[in-house]
Amino acid sequence: MSICIDCGKHRIVLIPSEGEPPGPDDVAPFYTALNRLLGYANERLRVVDEKHPALCGQSRAAGEAGALVSERLWLNPWVIEEYVEKNPLKIHDAELEIVAPWRFAYRGVFVVARAAPDHLLLLNQDRAFCARSIGFPADEAVRVVPCIAVLTLLPFKGGIVTDSKYLRLCDDLSASDAADVREAARRLTDLGVIASAAELIEYVSELPDGDHVPEVWRGIVEETYAAFKEEH
């Protein structure tokens, strides 16, 4: 459970870590598992022509393809369940253990309330989340705080990370909107920050299936990726 300390107009949120945060030795296993899963997902969902879609460590074309495949994948958790159950690539159990919880991936629109190299504090409509960095600074793509972005959260090593995509929706909130964010941050952090894999899985398990991007943003997100796909 997070600990909130009010200091005048500001609030400090302390988020105890459950287990060790991802370190350098976790980067390769994470992205190896993710890239292999994306390749399988593309075979099943037929999203792009690229043979090796990936989200890290490959060519730009592979990375762009990986972004498109992942957008479809997180909306179709049955692909992950099938991948883990049938193990079509005959991968080791340790890698399947990394992938299995990703059927509880949470793709949504978040307000980035705090950005640091090692974590992001994120708000959706009803909870606050802490996403840790893996392989690159967590705040690398964040231009200003607060802002609004589409992110996908994945359970990993007892905590939460993103799938490494960051889709900016709004970087220029008004002073009034920023004040609303501060108030929302106080209200939502009082409920406790979802920072562990178990908490994320419990949260996602209680949601209905389908797209969790709010309707007000869905059209923009779909248009962005549709235009992106036309280029490839």
Side-chain angles (χ1 to χ4, degrees):
M1 180 62 69
S2 55
I3 303 168
C4 306
I5 305 171
D6 287 316
C7 302
K9 293 189 298 182
H10 305 288
R11 164 166 287 199
I12 299 170
V13 182
L14 304 177
I15 306 167
S17 173
E18 295 215 1
E20 291 295 320
D25 292 341
D26 297 310
V27 176
F30 175 82
Y31 282 108
T32 296
L34 179 57
N35 291 345
R36 268 202 271 254
L37 174 63
L38 291 174
Y40 179 77
N42 192 44
E43 291 179 5
R44 299 293 283 124
L45 300 173
R46 300 183 181 277
V47 182
V48 296
D49 294 331
E50 172 68 38
K51 291 183 178 180
H52 302 290
L55 280 174
C56 183
Q58 303 294 327
S59 67
R60 178 173 178 176
E64 292 168 345
L68 292 169
V69 174
S70 66
E71 283 296 290
R72 286 281 302 279
L73 171 62
W74 307 133
L75 297 178
N76 291 277
W78 64 267
V79 174
I80 302 171
E81 294 173 359
E82 178 181 277
Y83 182 79
V84 172
E85 180 180 344
K86 296 183 177 181
N87 193 10
L89 304 184
K90 308 302 179 186
I91 61 177
H92 295 301
D93 289 346
E95 188 170 320
L96 289 178
E97 289 174 3
I98 291 174
V99 172
W102 292 351
R103 66 185 185 275
F104 298 102
Y106 180 71
R107 170 181 170 272
V109 172
F110 298 92
V111 173
V112 181
R114 185 170 73 204
D118 64 340
H119 77 280
L120 299 176
L121 181 64
L122 308 167
L123 313 175
N124 70 1
Q125 293 177 314
D126 56 10
R127 292 301 300 265
F129 302 79
C130 177
R132 296 188 176 278
S133 62
I134 180 166
F136 59 92
D139 61 349
E140 187 173 70
V142 182
R143 292 175 176 172
V144 63
V145 175
C147 58
I148 301 174
V150 177
L151 293 159
T152 299
L153 306 184
L154 302 177
F156 180 66
K157 201 181 177 184
I160 299 169
V161 299
T162 76
D163 71 350
S164 82
K165 297 197 315 298
Y166 181 96
L167 174 59
R168 297 185 185 93
L169 293 179
C170 181
D171 279 348
D172 56 351
L173 295 179
S174 67
S176 175
D177 288 337
D180 289 342
V181 168
R182 288 192 294 271
E183 178 56 35
R186 289 179 180 275
R187 175 173 54 83
L188 295 176
T189 53
D190 277 342
L191 297 175
V193 179
I194 294 176
S196 73
E199 290 170 326
L200 179 63
I201 289 170
E202 180 180 5
Y203 176 81
V204 174
S205 297
E206 295 175 353
L207 297 175
D209 293 336
D211 195 345
H212 302 306
V213 172
E215 188 67 36
V216 66
W217 294 109
R218 197 170 297 169
I220 297 173
V221 175
E222 291 174 353
E223 288 173 11
T224 299
Y225 277 104
F228 190 48
K229 188 171 184 178
E230 286 180 4
E231 298 176 2
H232 304 86

